[in-house]
Coordinates of all heavy atoms in Angstrom, one line a residue:
M19 N 0.8 -1.2 0.0 CA 0.0 0.0 0.0 C 0.9 1.3 0.0 O 0.6 2.2 -0.7 CB -0.9 0.0 1.2 CG -1.9 1.1 1.2 SD -3.4 0.6 0.3 CE -4.6 0.5 1.5
A20 N 2.0 1.2 0.8 CA 2.9 2.4 0.8 C 3.5 2.6 -0.5 O 3.9 3.7 -0.9 CB 3.9 2.2 1.9
D21 N 3.7 1.5 -1.3 CA 4.3 1.6 -2.6 C 3.5 2.4 -3.5 O 4.0 3.2 -4.3 CB 4.5 0.2 -3.1 CG 5.4 0.2 -4.4 OD1 6.3 1.0 -4.5 OD2 5.1 -0.7 -5.3
K22 N 2.2 2.2 -3.5 CA 1.3 3.0 -4.4 C 1.3 4.5 -4.0 O 1.3 5.4 -4.9 CB -0.2 2.5 -4.3 CG -0.4 1.2 -4.9 CD -1.8 0.8 -4.8 CE -2.0 -0.6 -5.4 NZ -3.4 -1.0 -5.3
K23 N 1.4 4.8 -2.7 CA 1.5 6.2 -2.3 C 2.8 6.8 -2.8 O 2.8 8.0 -3.2 CB 1.4 6.3 -0.8 CG 1.2 7.7 -0.2 CD 0.9 7.7 1.3 CE 0.7 9.1 1.7 NZ 0.4 9.1 3.2
K24 N 3.8 6.0 -2.7 CA 5.1 6.5 -3.2 C 5.1 6.9 -4.7 O 5.6 7.9 -5.1 CB 6.2 5.5 -2.9 CG 7.6 5.9 -3.2 CD 8.5 4.8 -2.9 CE 10.0 5.1 -3.3 NZ 10.9 4.0 -3.0
K25 N 4.4 6.0 -5.5 CA 4.3 6.2 -6.9 C 3.5 7.5 -7.2 O 3.8 8.2 -8.1 CB 3.7 5.0 -7.6 CG 4.5 3.8 -7.6 CD 3.8 2.6 -8.2 CE 4.7 1.4 -8.1 NZ 4.0 0.2 -8.6
K26 N 2.4 7.7 -6.4 CA 1.6 8.8 -6.6 C 2.3 10.1 -6.3 O 2.2 11.1 -7.0 CB 0.3 8.7 -5.7 CG -0.7 9.9 -5.9 CD -1.8 9.7 -5.0 CE -2.9 10.8 -5.1 NZ -2.3 12.2 -5.1
E27 N 3.1 10.1 -5.2 CA 3.9 11.3 -4.8 C 4.9 11.7 -5.9 O 5.1 12.8 -6.2 CB 4.6 11.0 -3.5 CG 3.7 11.0 -2.3 CD 4.4 10.6 -1.0 OE1 5.5 10.3 -1.1 OE2 3.7 10.6 0.0
T28 N 5.5 10.7 -6.6 CA 6.4 11.0 -7.7 C 5.7 11.6 -8.8 O 6.3 12.5 -9.5 CB 7.2 9.7 -8.1 OG1 6.2 8.8 -8.6 CG2 8.0 9.1 -7.0
L29 N 4.5 11.3 -9.1 CA 3.7 11.9 -10.2 C 3.2 13.3 -9.9 O 3.1 14.1 -10.7 CB 2.6 11.0 -10.6 CG 3.0 9.7 -11.3 CD1 1.7 8.8 -11.5 CD2 3.7 9.9 -12.6
D30 N 2.9 13.5 -8.6 CA 2.3 14.8 -8.2 C 3.3 15.9 -8.4 O 2.8 17.1 -8.7 CB 1.9 14.8 -6.7 CG 0.6 14.0 -6.5 OD1 -0.1 13.7 -7.5 OD2 0.3 13.6 -5.4
G31 N 4.6 15.7 -8.3 CA 5.5 16.8 -8.5 C 5.9 17.1 -9.9 O 6.7 18.0 -10.1
K32 N 5.3 16.4 -10.9 CA 5.7 16.6 -12.3 C 4.8 17.6 -13.0 O 3.6 17.8 -12.6 CB 5.7 15.3 -13.0 CG 6.7 14.3 -12.5 CD 6.8 13.1 -13.4 CE 7.9 12.2 -13.0 NZ 8.1 11.1 -13.9
T33 N 5.4 18.3 -13.9 CA 4.6 19.3 -14.7 C 3.8 18.5 -15.8 O 4.1 17.3 -16.1 CB 5.6 20.2 -15.5 OG1 6.3 19.5 -16.4 CG2 6.5 20.9 -14.5
P34 N 2.8 19.2 -16.3 CA 2.0 18.5 -17.4 C 2.8 18.0 -18.6 O 2.5 17.0 -19.1 CB 1.0 19.6 -17.8 CG 0.8 20.4 -16.6 CD 2.2 20.4 -16.0
D35 N 3.8 18.7 -18.9 CA 4.7 18.3 -20.1 C 5.4 17.0 -19.7 O 5.6 16.2 -20.5 CB 5.7 19.4 -20.4 CG 5.0 20.6 -21.1 OD1 3.9 20.4 -21.7 OD2 5.5 21.7 -21.0
E36 N 5.9 17.0 -18.5 CA 6.6 15.8 -18.0 C 5.7 14.6 -18.0 O 6.1 13.4 -18.4 CB 7.3 16.0 -16.7 CG 8.4 16.9 -16.7 CD 8.9 17.3 -15.2 OE1 8.1 17.2 -14.3 OE2 10.1 17.6 -15.1
L37 N 4.5 14.8 -17.5 CA 3.5 13.7 -17.5 C 3.2 13.2 -18.9 O 3.0 12.0 -19.2 CB 2.2 14.2 -16.8 CG 2.3 14.4 -15.3 CD1 1.1 15.0 -14.7 CD2 2.6 13.1 -14.6
Q38 N 3.1 14.2 -19.9 CA 2.8 13.8 -21.2 C 3.9 13.0 -21.8 O 3.7 12.0 -22.5 CB 2.6 15.1 -22.1 CG 2.1 14.8 -23.5 CD 0.7 14.2 -23.5 OE1 -0.1 14.5 -22.7 NE2 0.5 13.4 -24.5
K39 N 5.1 13.3 -21.5 CA 6.3 12.6 -22.0 C 6.3 11.2 -21.4 O 6.5 10.2 -22.1 CB 7.6 13.3 -21.6 CG 8.8 12.6 -22.1 CD 10.1 13.3 -21.7 CE 11.3 12.6 -22.1 NZ 11.5 11.2 -21.7
D40 N 6.0 11.1 -20.1 CA 5.9 9.8 -19.4 C 4.9 8.9 -20.0 O 5.0 7.7 -20.2 CB 5.6 10.0 -17.9 CG 6.8 10.5 -17.1 OD1 8.0 10.5 -17.7 OD2 6.6 10.8 -15.9
L41 N 3.7 9.5 -20.4 CA 2.6 8.8 -21.0 C 3.0 8.2 -22.3 O 2.8 7.0 -22.6 CB 1.4 9.7 -21.1 CG 0.1 9.0 -21.7 CD1 -0.3 7.9 -20.8 CD2 -1.0 10.0 -21.9
M42 N 3.7 9.0 -23.1 CA 4.2 8.5 -24.4 C 5.2 7.4 -24.3 O 5.1 6.4 -25.0 CB 4.8 9.7 -25.2 CG 3.7 10.8 -25.6 SD 2.3 10.1 -26.6 CE 3.1 9.5 -28.0
D43 N 6.1 7.5 -23.3 CA 7.1 6.5 -23.1 C 6.4 5.2 -22.7 O 6.8 4.1 -23.1 CB 8.1 6.9 -22.0 CG 9.0 8.0 -22.5 OD1 9.1 8.2 -23.7 OD2 9.6 8.7 -21.6
L44 N 5.4 5.3 -21.8 CA 4.7 4.1 -21.3 C 3.9 3.4 -22.4 O 3.8 2.2 -22.5 CB 3.8 4.5 -20.1 CG 4.5 4.7 -18.8 CD1 3.5 5.4 -17.8 CD2 5.1 3.5 -18.2
K45 N 3.3 4.3 -23.3 CA 2.5 3.7 -24.4 C 3.5 2.9 -25.4 O 3.1 1.9 -25.9 CB 1.8 4.8 -25.2 CG 0.7 5.4 -24.4 CD -0.5 4.5 -24.5 CE -1.8 5.2 -24.0 NZ -2.9 4.3 -24.2
K46 N 4.7 3.5 -25.6 CA 5.7 2.8 -26.4 C 6.1 1.5 -25.8 O 6.2 0.4 -26.5 CB 6.9 3.7 -26.7 CG 6.6 4.8 -27.6 CD 7.8 5.7 -27.8 CE 7.5 6.9 -28.6 NZ 8.6 7.8 -28.8
Q47 N 6.3 1.5 -24.5 CA 6.7 0.3 -23.8 C 5.6 -0.7 -23.8 O 5.8 -1.9 -24.0 CB 7.0 0.7 -22.3 CG 7.5 -0.5 -21.5 CD 7.8 -0.1 -20.1 OE1 7.7 1.1 -19.7 NE2 8.2 -1.1 -19.3
Q48 N 4.3 -0.3 -23.7 CA 3.2 -1.2 -23.8 C 3.1 -1.8 -25.1 O 2.8 -3.0 -25.2 CB 1.9 -0.4 -23.5 CG 0.7 -1.2 -23.3 CD -0.5 -0.3 -22.9 OE1 -0.6 0.8 -23.4 NE2 -1.4 -0.8 -22.1
M49 N 3.3 -1.1 -26.2 CA 3.3 -1.6 -27.5 C 4.4 -2.6 -27.7 O 4.1 -3.7 -28.3 CB 3.4 -0.5 -28.6 CG 3.3 -0.9 -30.0 SD 3.5 0.4 -31.2 CE 5.2 0.8 -31.0
N50 N 5.6 -2.3 -27.3 CA 6.7 -3.3 -27.4 C 6.4 -4.6 -26.6 O 6.7 -5.7 -27.1 CB 8.0 -2.7 -26.9 CG 8.5 -1.6 -27.8 OD1 8.2 -1.6 -29.0 ND2 9.3 -0.7 -27.3
L51 N 5.8 -4.5 -25.5 CA 5.4 -5.7 -24.7 C 4.4 -6.5 -25.4 O 4.4 -7.7 -25.4 CB 4.9 -5.3 -23.3 CG 6.0 -4.8 -22.3 CD1 5.4 -4.2 -21.1 CD2 7.0 -5.9 -22.0
R52 N 3.4 -5.8 -26.1 CA 2.4 -6.6 -26.8 C 3.0 -7.3 -28.0 O 2.7 -8.5 -28.3 CB 1.3 -5.6 -27.3 CG 0.3 -5.2 -26.2 CD -0.9 -4.6 -26.8 NE -0.7 -3.6 -27.8 CZ -0.9 -2.3 -27.6 NH1 -1.3 -1.9 -26.4 NH2 -0.6 -1.4 -28.5
F53 N 4.0 -6.7 -28.7 CA 4.7 -7.4 -29.8 C 5.5 -8.6 -29.3 O 5.4 -9.6 -29.9 CB 5.6 -6.4 -30.5 CG 4.9 -5.5 -31.5 CD1 5.1 -4.1 -31.5 CD2 4.1 -6.0 -32.5 CE1 4.5 -3.3 -32.4 CE2 3.4 -5.2 -33.4 CZ 3.7 -3.8 -33.3
Q54 N 6.1 -8.4 -28.2 CA 6.9 -9.5 -27.6 C 6.0 -10.7 -27.2 O 6.3 -11.8 -27.5 CB 7.7 -9.0 -26.4 CG 8.9 -8.1 -26.7 CD 9.6 -7.7 -25.4 OE1 9.3 -8.2 -24.3 NE2 10.5 -6.7 -25.6
K55 N 4.8 -10.3 -26.7 CA 3.9 -11.4 -26.3 C 3.4 -12.1 -27.5 O 3.3 -13.4 -27.5 CB 2.7 -10.8 -25.5 CG 1.8 -11.8 -25.0 CD 0.6 -11.2 -24.3 CE -0.4 -12.3 -23.8 NZ -1.6 -11.7 -23.4
S56 N 3.1 -11.4 -28.5 CA 2.5 -12.0 -29.7 C 3.5 -12.9 -30.4 O 3.2 -13.9 -31.1 CB 2.0 -11.0 -30.7 OG 3.0 -10.3 -31.3
Q57 N 4.8 -12.6 -30.3 CA 5.9 -13.4 -30.9 C 6.4 -14.5 -30.0 O 7.3 -15.3 -30.3 CB 7.0 -12.5 -31.3 CG 6.6 -11.5 -32.4 CD 7.7 -10.6 -32.7 OE1 8.7 -10.5 -32.1 NE2 7.5 -9.8 -33.8
G58 N 5.9 -14.6 -28.7 CA 6.3 -15.6 -27.8 C 7.6 -15.3 -27.1 O 8.2 -16.2 -26.6
Q59 N 8.0 -14.0 -27.1 CA 9.3 -13.7 -26.5 C 9.2 -13.1 -25.1 O 10.2 -12.9 -24.4 CB 10.0 -12.6 -27.4 CG 10.4 -13.1 -28.8 CD 11.0 -12.1 -29.7 OE1 10.9 -10.9 -29.3 NE2 11.5 -12.4 -30.8
L60 N 8.0 -12.9 -24.7 CA 7.8 -12.2 -23.4 C 7.7 -13.3 -22.3 O 6.8 -14.2 -22.3 CB 6.5 -11.4 -23.4 CG 6.2 -10.6 -22.1 CD1 7.2 -9.5 -21.9 CD2 4.8 -9.9 -22.3
S61 N 8.6 -13.3 -21.4 CA 8.7 -14.3 -20.3 C 7.8 -13.9 -19.1 O 7.2 -14.7 -18.4 CB 10.1 -14.6 -19.9 OG 10.7 -13.4 -19.4
N62 N 7.8 -12.6 -18.8 CA 7.0 -12.1 -17.7 C 5.8 -11.3 -18.1 O 5.9 -10.1 -18.4 CB 7.9 -11.3 -16.8 CG 7.3 -10.8 -15.5 OD1 6.1 -11.2 -15.2 ND2 7.9 -10.0 -14.7
T63 N 4.7 -12.0 -18.2 CA 3.5 -11.3 -18.8 C 2.9 -10.3 -17.8 O 2.0 -9.5 -18.2 CB 2.4 -12.4 -19.2 OG1 2.1 -13.2 -18.0 CG2 2.9 -13.2 -20.3
A64 N 3.3 -10.4 -16.5 CA 2.8 -9.4 -15.5 C 3.3 -8.0 -15.8 O 2.7 -7.0 -15.3 CB 3.2 -9.8 -14.1
Q65 N 4.3 -7.9 -16.7 CA 4.8 -6.5 -17.0 C 3.7 -5.8 -17.8 O 3.6 -4.5 -17.6 CB 6.0 -6.6 -17.9 CG 7.3 -7.1 -17.2 CD 8.4 -7.3 -18.2 OE1 8.2 -7.7 -19.3 NE2 9.6 -7.0 -17.7
I66 N 2.9 -6.5 -18.6 CA 1.9 -5.8 -19.3 C 0.9 -5.1 -18.4 O 0.5 -4.0 -18.6 CB 1.1 -6.8 -20.3 CG1 2.1 -7.3 -21.3 CG2 -0.1 -6.2 -20.9 CD1 1.6 -8.4 -22.2
R67 N 0.5 -5.9 -17.4 CA -0.5 -5.3 -16.4 C 0.1 -4.1 -15.6 O -0.6 -3.1 -15.5 CB -0.9 -6.4 -15.4 CG -1.9 -5.9 -14.3 CD -2.1 -6.8 -13.2 NE -2.6 -8.1 -13.6 CZ -2.8 -9.1 -12.8 NH1 -2.5 -9.1 -11.6 NH2 -3.2 -10.3 -13.3
E68 N 1.4 -4.2 -15.3 CA 2.0 -3.1 -14.5 C 2.1 -1.9 -15.4 O 1.8 -0.8 -14.9 CB 3.4 -3.6 -14.0 CG 4.1 -2.5 -13.2 CD 3.3 -2.1 -11.9 OE1 2.6 -3.0 -11.3 OE2 3.4 -0.9 -11.5
V69 N 2.5 -2.0 -16.6 CA 2.6 -0.8 -17.5 C 1.2 -0.2 -17.7 O 1.0 1.0 -17.7 CB 3.2 -1.2 -18.9 CG1 3.1 -0.1 -19.9 CG2 4.7 -1.6 -18.6
R70 N 0.1 -1.1 -17.9 CA -1.2 -0.6 -18.0 C -1.6 0.2 -16.8 O -2.3 1.3 -16.9 CB -2.2 -1.8 -18.3 CG -3.5 -1.3 -18.7 CD -4.4 -2.5 -19.0 NE -4.7 -3.3 -17.8 CZ -4.5 -4.6 -17.8 NH1 -4.0 -5.3 -18.8 NH2 -4.8 -5.3 -16.7
R71 N -1.3 -0.2 -15.6 CA -1.6 0.5 -14.4 C -0.8 1.8 -14.3 O -1.4 2.8 -13.8 CB -1.4 -0.4 -13.2 CG -2.4 -1.5 -13.2 CD -2.3 -2.4 -12.0 NE -3.3 -3.4 -12.0 CZ -3.4 -4.4 -11.1 NH1 -2.5 -4.5 -10.1 NH2 -4.4 -5.3 -11.2
Q72 N 0.4 1.8 -14.7 CA 1.2 3.0 -14.7 C 0.6 4.0 -15.6 O 0.6 5.2 -15.3 CB 2.6 2.7 -15.1 CG 3.4 2.0 -14.0 CD 4.8 1.5 -14.5 OE1 5.1 1.7 -15.7 NE2 5.6 1.0 -13.6
V73 N 0.1 3.6 -16.8 CA -0.6 4.5 -17.7 C -1.8 5.1 -17.1 O -2.0 6.4 -17.2 CB -1.0 3.8 -19.0 CG1 -1.9 4.6 -19.9 CG2 0.3 3.4 -19.8
A74 N -2.5 4.3 -16.3 CA -3.7 4.9 -15.7 C -3.3 5.9 -14.6 O -4.0 6.9 -14.4 CB -4.5 3.7 -15.0
R75 N -2.3 5.6 -13.9 CA -1.8 6.5 -12.8 C -1.4 7.9 -13.4 O -1.7 8.9 -12.9 CB -0.6 6.0 -12.1 CG -1.0 4.9 -11.1 CD 0.3 4.5 -10.3 NE -0.1 3.2 -9.6 CZ 0.4 2.0 -9.9 NH1 1.2 1.9 -10.9 NH2 0.0 1.0 -9.2
V76 N -0.7 7.8 -14.6 CA -0.3 9.1 -15.2 C -1.5 9.8 -15.7 O -1.6 11.1 -15.6 CB 0.7 8.8 -16.4 CG1 1.0 10.0 -17.2 CG2 2.0 8.2 -15.8
K77 N -2.4 9.1 -16.3 CA -3.6 9.8 -16.8 C -4.4 10.4 -15.7 O -5.0 11.5 -15.8 CB -4.5 8.8 -17.6 CG -4.0 8.5 -19.0 CD -5.0 7.6 -19.7 CE -4.6 7.4 -21.1 NZ -5.5 6.5 -21.9
T78 N -4.5 9.7 -14.5 CA -5.2 10.3 -13.4 C -4.4 11.5 -12.9 O -5.1 12.5 -12.6 CB -5.2 9.2 -12.3 OG1 -5.9 8.1 -12.8 CG2 -5.9 9.8 -11.0
A79 N -3.1 11.5 -12.9 CA -2.4 12.7 -12.4 C -2.5 13.8 -13.4 O -2.6 15.0 -13.0 CB -0.9 12.3 -12.3
M80 N -2.6 13.5 -14.7 CA -2.8 14.6 -15.7 C -4.2 15.2 -15.5 O -4.3 16.4 -15.6 CB -2.7 14.0 -17.1 CG -1.3 13.6 -17.5 SD -1.2 12.8 -19.1 CE -1.6 14.1 -20.2
G81 N -5.2 14.4 -15.2 CA -6.5 15.0 -14.9 C -6.6 15.8 -13.7 O -7.2 16.9 -13.6
G82 N -5.8 15.4 -12.7 CA -5.7 16.2 -11.4 C -5.0 17.5 -11.7 O -5.4 18.6 -11.1
A83 N -4.0 17.5 -12.6 CA -3.3 18.7 -12.9 C -4.2 19.7 -13.6 O -4.1 20.9 -13.4 CB -2.1 18.4 -13.7
K84 N -5.1 19.2 -14.5 CA -6.0 20.0 -15.2 C -6.9 20.7 -14.2 O -7.2 21.9 -14.3 CB -6.8 19.2 -16.2 CG -6.1 18.9 -17.5 CD -7.0 18.2 -18.4 CE -6.3 17.8 -19.7 NZ -7.2 17.1 -20.6
N85 N -7.5 20.0 -13.3 CA -8.4 20.5 -12.3 C -7.8 21.5 -11.4 O -8.4 22.5 -11.1 CB -9.1 19.4 -11.5 CG -10.0 18.6 -12.4 OD1 -10.5 19.0 -13.4 ND2 -10.3 17.4 -11.9
A86 N -6.5 21.3 -11.0 CA -5.8 22.2 -10.2 C -5.5 23.5 -10.9 O -5.4 24.5 -10.3 CB -4.6 21.5 -9.6
A87 N -5.3 23.4 -12.2 CA -4.9 24.6 -13.0 C -6.1 25.5 -13.2 O -5.9 26.7 -13.6 CB -4.4 24.2 -14.3
G88 N -7.3 25.1 -12.9 CA -8.4 26.0 -12.9 C -9.3 25.8 -14.2 O -10.2 26.6 -14.4
S89 N -9.0 24.8 -15.0 CA -9.9 24.6 -16.1 C -11.1 23.8 -15.7 O -11.2 22.6 -15.7 CB -9.1 23.8 -17.2 OG -8.8 22.5 -16.7
K90 N -12.1 24.5 -15.3 CA -13.4 23.9 -14.8 C -14.3 23.6 -16.0 O -14.4 24.3 -16.9 CB -14.1 24.8 -13.9 CG -13.3 25.1 -12.6 CD -14.1 26.0 -11.7 CE -13.4 26.3 -10.4 NZ -14.1 27.2 -9.5
A91 N -14.9 22.4 -15.9 CA -15.9 22.1 -16.9 C -17.2 22.8 -16.6 O -17.4 23.3 -15.5 CB -16.1 20.6 -16.9
A92 N -18.0 22.9 -17.6 CA -19.3 23.6 -17.4 C -20.1 22.8 -16.4 O -20.1 21.6 -16.5 CB -20.0 23.7 -18.8
P93 N -20.8 23.5 -15.5 CA -21.6 22.8 -14.6 C -22.7 22.0 -15.2 O -23.3 22.5 -16.2 CB -22.1 23.9 -13.7 CG -22.0 25.1 -14.4 CD -20.8 24.9 -15.4
K94 N -23.0 20.8 -14.7 CA -24.0 20.0 -15.3 C -25.4 20.6 -14.9 O -25.6 21.1 -13.8 CB -24.0 18.6 -14.8 CG -22.7 17.9 -15.2 CD -22.7 16.4 -14.7 CE -21.5 15.7 -15.1 NZ -21.4 14.3 -14.6
K95 N -26.3 20.5 -15.9 CA -27.7 21.0 -15.7 C -28.4 19.9 -14.9 O -28.3 18.7 -15.1 CB -28.4 21.3 -17.0 CG -27.8 22.4 -17.7 CD -28.6 22.7 -19.0 CE -28.0 23.8 -19.8 NZ -28.8 24.1 -21.0
K96 N -29.2 20.3 -13.9 CA -30.0 19.4 -13.2 C -31.2 19.1 -14.0 O -31.8 19.9 -14.6 CB -30.4 20.0 -11.8 CG -29.2 20.2 -10.9 CD -29.7 20.7 -9.5 CE -28.5 20.9 -8.6 NZ -28.9 21.4 -7.3
A97 N -31.6 17.8 -13.9 CA -32.8 17.4 -14.6 C -34.1 18.0 -13.9 O -34.1 18.2 -12.7 CB -32.9 15.9 -14.6
A98 N -35.0 18.3 -14.7 CA -36.3 18.9 -14.1 C -37.0 17.9 -13.3 O -37.1 16.7 -13.6 CB -37.2 19.4 -15.3
A99 N -37.4 18.3 -12.1 CA -38.0 17.4 -11.2 C -39.5 17.1 -11.7 O -40.2 18.0 -12.1 CB -38.1 18.0 -9.8
T100 N -39.8 15.9 -11.7 CA -41.1 15.5 -12.2 C -41.8 14.9 -11.0 O -41.2 14.2 -10.2 CB -41.1 14.5 -13.3 OG1 -40.3 13.3 -12.9 CG2 -40.4 15.1 -14.6
K101 N -43.1 15.2 -10.9 CA -43.9 14.7 -9.8 C -44.6 13.4 -10.2 O -45.3 13.4 -11.2 CB -44.9 15.7 -9.4 CG -45.7 15.4 -8.1 CD -46.6 16.5 -7.7 CE -47.4 16.2 -6.5 NZ -48.3 17.2 -6.1
K102 N -44.4 12.4 -9.5 CA -45.1 11.1 -9.8 C -46.3 11.0 -8.9 O -46.3 11.1 -7.7 CB -44.2 9.9 -9.6 CG -43.0 9.9 -10.5 CD -42.2 8.7 -10.3 CE -41.0 8.6 -11.2 NZ -40.2 7.5 -11.0
T103 N -47.5 10.9 -9.6 CA -48.7 10.8 -8.8 C -49.2 9.4 -8.6 O -50.0 9.1 -7.7 CB -49.8 11.6 -9.5 OG1 -50.0 11.1 -10.8 CG2 -49.5 13.1 -9.6
G104 N -48.8 8.5 -9.5 CA -49.2 7.2 -9.3 C -50.5 6.9 -10.1 O -51.0 5.8 -10.1
K105 N -51.2 8.0 -10.6 CA -52.4 7.8 -11.3 C -52.1 7.6 -12.8 O -51.2 8.2 -13.3 CB -53.3 9.0 -11.1 CG -53.8 9.2 -9.7 CD -54.7 10.5 -9.6 CE -55.1 10.7 -8.2 NZ -55.9 11.9 -8.1
K106 N -52.9 6.8 -13.4 CA -52.8 6.6 -14.9 C -53.6 7.7 -15.6 O -54.6 8.1 -15.2 CB -53.3 5.2 -15.3 CG -52.5 4.1 -14.7 CD -53.0 2.7 -15.2 CE -52.2 1.6 -14.7 NZ -52.7 0.3 -15.1
A107 N -53.0 8.0 -16.8 CA -53.7 9.0 -17.6 C -55.0 8.4 -18.2 O -55.0 7.3 -18.6 CB -52.8 9.6 -18.7
A108 N -56.1 9.2 -18.2 CA -57.3 8.7 -18.8 C -57.4 8.9 -20.3 O -56.9 9.6 -20.9 CB -58.5 9.3 -18.1

């Protein structure tokens, strides 16, 4: 559990450009691992899962950086409240 926190802390200190570079590197690594697996050269298939999770961590950190920078999305409109009477229309 402490290991995940440590990984998150290393991503929190990075700029959006650094996170984008990390994401591209991880995507290339993921592609290479998929090629190795398809050719039967990959001995440790757990690497694919770990890289996929690292990609998710970087994307999460990138989303957090966007929100912290002040780029707020438009507020969602609330659905109009409808009153249910339980009576059938005649």
Side-chain angles (χ1 to χ4, degrees):
M19 187 87 110
D21 190 35
K22 288 182 182 179
K23 188 173 184 179
K24 183 178 178 182
K25 291 177 185 177
K26 183 182 181 309
E27 289 173 355
T28 59
L29 292 176
D30 285 343
K32 293 189 176 187
T33 65
D35 291 334
E36 291 173 331
L37 290 172
Q38 187 67 33
K39 182 184 178 301
D40 286 349
L41 183 62
M42 293 304 296
D43 292 342
L44 287 168
K45 288 285 193 173
K46 287 178 185 177
Q47 184 180 357
Q48 189 177 32
M49 184 180 67
N50 289 334
L51 289 171
R52 283 197 310 257
F53 280 128
Q54 288 177 11
K55 183 181 177 192
S56 69
Q57 295 174 354
Q59 298 174 349
L60 186 63
S61 60
N62 185 4
T63 56
Q65 288 176 327
I66 294 173
R67 180 191 301 176
E68 184 58 34
V69 170
R70 189 175 67 232
R71 290 180 178 178
Q72 288 174 353
V73 167
R75 284 186 193 104
V76 170
K77 285 184 174 182
T78 301
M80 290 173 73
K84 281 184 183 177
N85 291 338
S89 63
K90 294 182 180 178
K94 293 182 180 179
K95 292 182 180 179
K96 293 184 179 180
T100 58
K101 186 176 180 181
K102 296 183 179 180
T103 59
K105 295 181 181 179
K106 292 183 180 180

